[in-house]
Amino acid sequence: MNTGFECALVGAASFDAGHFSHERFGTTVAVDGGYASLRKAGFAADFALGDFDSLGYVPLDVPIERHPSMKDDSDTALALDWARLRGYSSVAVYGALGGRLDHTHATIAALAGAAHAGMRVAAVGEGNVLAVLSPSCCDVLELPALPSGTFSVFSLSDEAAGVTEVGAKYAAEGVALRSDVTLGLSNEFVGRPVRIELASGMLAVYLPALPLSSMRFGRR
């Protein structure tokens, strides 16, 4: 089981600086307007990437990779690809959930693409964490015992098969979830550790704002 993330990407949407401050990353990448979010919160970026249309200027104090504004991928997708090509196998994304709904949808799609390519990925929004499970990277997620709170799981593929949830209020054993059903909505923590497993397909796990270091990813 793996804990911790090697690299953090920080985008231009709402940034949970408190959550970020309690994590440890080897590399922090500012994705366009995420550069301003980091500076405002008192954090430094190691690298900056994007077309910088949200930021409004190109940073001069860090190495950059600039992309044209007319492009086929979002800045978040480009940053995830940047991390993958440099050998990072686990990446946390901040500042890419919330705001415009289509941007959030694009972030989820980019996370799914990264997981399909074998990366362990999670995204942190204001008050929530999104983790992706896939046999390509990790098909088990272990969560700490929480006295209360909810989590949800939804298929990111046509079907996510063999979904098992142990330790939560509602147990699931080998369930198949299609992308057009809501069966995985609002399970509950009840003071026991929770284990989520996946046999095939791809699964989005929506969680409270847990520390990333408390989440354990692995393979069955």
Side-chain angles (χ1 to χ4, degrees):
M1 288 286 177
N2 292 313
T3 60
F5 286 79
E6 303 164 303
C7 178
L9 311 178
V10 179
S14 182
F15 175 47
D16 191 334
H19 189 286
F20 182 87
S21 70
H22 288 95
E23 302 292 336
R24 295 293 179 266
F25 304 104
T27 302
T28 298
V29 179
V31 183
D32 202 319
Y35 177 83
S37 297
L38 284 165
R39 291 198 64 179
K40 182 179 180 181
F43 301 110
D46 300 301
F47 193 85
L49 178 150
D51 57 21
F52 302 110
D53 60 346
S54 297
L55 185 60
Y57 61 92
V58 178
L60 299 177
D61 59 343
V62 294
I64 68 164
E65 180 176 295
R66 189 174 187 179
H67 291 267
S69 58
M70 296 181 65
K71 56 187 185 299
D72 294 330
D73 284 309
S74 69
D75 286 335
T76 300
L78 291 170
L80 284 165
D81 199 46
W82 178 94
R84 179 184 61 81
L85 292 173
R86 281 151 185 81
Y88 293 105
S89 61
S90 57
V91 177
V93 180
Y94 286 79
L97 301 176
R100 281 178 50 177
L101 186 59
D102 53 344
H103 282 185
T104 297
H105 189 96
T107 295
I108 296 170
L111 292 170
H116 183 72
M119 297 174 68
R120 178 162 54 97
V121 290
V124 180
E126 289 285 358
N128 55 76
V129 170
L130 165 61
V132 179
L133 297 185
S134 167
S136 300
C137 62
C138 43
D139 51 20
V140 175
L141 177 61
E142 292 185 351
L143 304 168
L146 297 180
S148 61
T150 63
F151 69 92
S152 299
V153 299
F154 296 110
S155 178
L156 290 177
S157 49
D158 288 342
E159 181 178 277
V163 177
T164 296
E165 299 175 20
V166 178
K169 181 176 181 178
Y170 305 106
E173 180 67 38
V175 174
L177 296 177
R178 300 195 318 271
S179 59
D180 60 350
V181 301
T182 61
L183 177 61
L185 179 67
S186 294
N187 206 338
E188 297 181 24
F189 291 97
V190 289
R192 297 189 295 262
V194 170
R195 180 181 173 95
I196 301 170
E197 297 183 1
L198 171 71
S200 65
M202 190 173 293
L203 201 65
V205 183
Y206 293 87
L207 299 159
L210 297 170
L212 297 180
S213 55
S214 73
M215 301 162 55
R216 297 180 178 271
F217 294 78
R219 294 182 181 273
R220 297 197 307 167

